[in-house]
Amino acid sequence: TAPLAYKMAVEEPLSLDSLSLAERDQQTKREQGVNDASPMRLRMEKFVKEQQKEIVWALEQVDGNSFRVDEWQRKEGGGGITCVLQDGNVFEKAGVGVSVVYGTLPKPAILKMRANHKKLGEDIENIPDSLEFFAAGLSLVVHPKNPMAPTVHLNYRYFETANPDGTSGAWWFGGGSDLTPAYLFDEDAIQFHKSLKEVCDAHDKDYYSRFKKWCDTYFYNKHRGESRGVGGIFFDDLDETVRDKENTFAFIQDALKSFVPTYVPIINKRKDMPYTEQEKEWQQIRRGKYVEFNLVHDRGTAFGLNTPGARVESILMSLPLTASWKYMYEPEPKSREARLVEVLKTPKEWV
Amino acid sequence: TAPLAYKMAVEEPLSLDSLSLAERDQQTKREQGVNDASPMRLRMEKFVKEQQKEIVWALEQVDGNSFRVDEWQRKEGGGGITCVLQDGNVFEKAGVGVSVVYGTLPKPAILKMRANHKKLGEDIENIPDSLEFFAAGLSLVVHPKNPMAPTVHLNYRYFETANPDGTSGAWWFGGGSDLTPAYLFDEDAIQFHKSLKEVCDAHDKDYYSRFKKWCDTYFYNKHRGESRGVGGIFFDDLDETVRDKENTFAFIQDALKSFVPTYVPIINKRKDMPYTEQEKEWQQIRRGKYVEFNLVHDRGTAFGLNTPGARVESILMSLPLTASWKYMYEPEPKSREARLVEVLKTPKEWV
């Protein structure tokens, strides 16, 4: 092989193209910072990190305790920040996590994703053997102690592939938020859905009804024949076939920013309500079903647990501190517990 | 179409062949009872039902409380008996279930099973579009209250397909038994493995070492990098390529019959040991990992939850009454808890 000096003289100079996506993004951040003209990767990362701080702060005000903050690196590329408040005054377990992943999609994964994203290898003759990708998102799950206070889950994420020439390839946003009470207060479900509908309506009049249905379908414990909770919104694959990137990001921002003003009033209303030991037991039974959904059906959890180098404790922060499985437990007919199960078997329209 | 009387006169008489496998077995049982000359289906069903009674009786003597007994039918064919003792004196939850399933394997399932069982459609040109099958087995999981007393699991099952002409096609046995302590007493693990080795050795000197390894490989929480417990034996696909049906059934019988004399002395030694609140908490953390294995990795649970008309409460009787997930919980270095985790990360040879 030719000596290095010769190669440097006659071949192309070392360009940005020879850096990995992660390295290029690091360089851009260092040299230019992040602003509205930056690549969406950097804007989404910045946004979810800011939101994580705000949400953690707001939940700390409710609980009176502080979150533990763990920053971690993924040796395959990227990393994240996991914040957990455990056994607090109000929250049994609250986890707010941000993750940023740089990786490589092998050809079979590219071919699979093409079904939903035509931009991925538009030229069917020239589908590359692998593609660099980027994913960033914020996930949170809050399990309150008081059985009258509902569990809440939220996740917003951005996914992008890089073309071999370094430009952005396919991109899409996904996410949603849903509420899981052990005791159903209709006014909470209504307020939660109303707030999501307002956010959706401000961007597209079709979003709410589509995403509400999608949520009911997705967060469904098929083996039990019941929904995980009273729903909310869920969507995936929001790409240029739905709306342009800028407007979709604006929607994602509004949706995520609406979390604190929506959930905090609900938790404040419920956190100090009196409850009996039996009611706490019912909450534990419902927690068991939450665990079933997350471990048996949730695609995000399965994807995470199967990702090489994944941080298992960050993925499973979604599980409650405690859960219970009683054989053949059935609520009393016409009880509040029975009404919840009825609603979970036949999802309602809340707004 | 020809009148019925004509058809009866000129066509073949209504034979056993026109009955389903389940109907034929019912008829045989009614007319002839079940003895050593009966089809293996009926002998296995009779055997596991007898063993269920004996095990339930033995565990009731230990606990002082009775099992709840639920007999159920599967509308697609077959049924079972689920026995559960919950919140007893000694057992937090003990489930002993028998199930007998008659069903139909579609062609894709037949093709998949051919990989392990050549007898399934030996004639590659003439693989049928579907095959009737039979499966019977006994499963048990016992979660004691005392954190010093180990959880135990056992399952033995028989599977058979019927040829289109009504004769038995492919057949195999599977099963095993394994121990999951929260606090490791080496003598318990040694006694448990010794007893399984004795049963294995009496039938084939190679069984124990093969099935012990198989157990370590199977009951492995891949995402945690640790075994579920201290193992035991596990095997599947024991068919005529390994040993004849009669001798394999004799092995299965001995293995199942060894459960009570192996586990009861262990539980009696541990059930009244003193323990602290912290030790109970550690047990709950370990239970969380048991739930993770069963819901994320266990093929039997996944198969059950995906079977149409499955009785979910019978499948999930394996889950503990209570479990806990603490974020980033790590035992103290050099503690008993740390030693258990060490052993789970590097399975030991116990005999």
Side-chain angles (χ1 to χ4, degrees), chain B residues 52-69 83-96 142-143 145 268 271-272 321:
Chain B
Q52 183 181 39
K53 280 192 185 143
E54 294 209 9
I55 292 167
V56 160
W57 184 86
L59 294 176
E60 284 177 343
Q61 303 318 299
V62 172
D63 192 274
N65 285 287
S66 296
F67 276 74
R68 162 179 175 165
V69 179
C83 304
V84 174
L85 194 169
Q86 194 168 270
D87 201 13
N89 296 314
V90 174
F91 302 121
E92 190 181 286
K93 196 155 153 199
V96 187
V142 177
H143 295 289
K145 286 191 160 170
N268 279 334
K271 70 185 172 62
D272 299 316
L321 188 60

Side-chain angles (χ1 to χ4, degrees), chain B residues 28-29 32-39 42-44 46:
Chain B
T28 310
K29 269 194 271 188
Q32 304 168 28
V34 179
N35 56 50
D36 287 355
S38 304
L42 302 184
R43 293 168 70 194
M44 182 69 174
K46 182 167 176 258

Side-chain angles (χ1 to χ4, degrees), chain A residues 168-184:
Chain A
S168 293
W171 62 268
W172 63 91
F173 288 92
S177 181
D178 63 292
L179 201 68
T180 305
Y183 285 91
L184 176 55

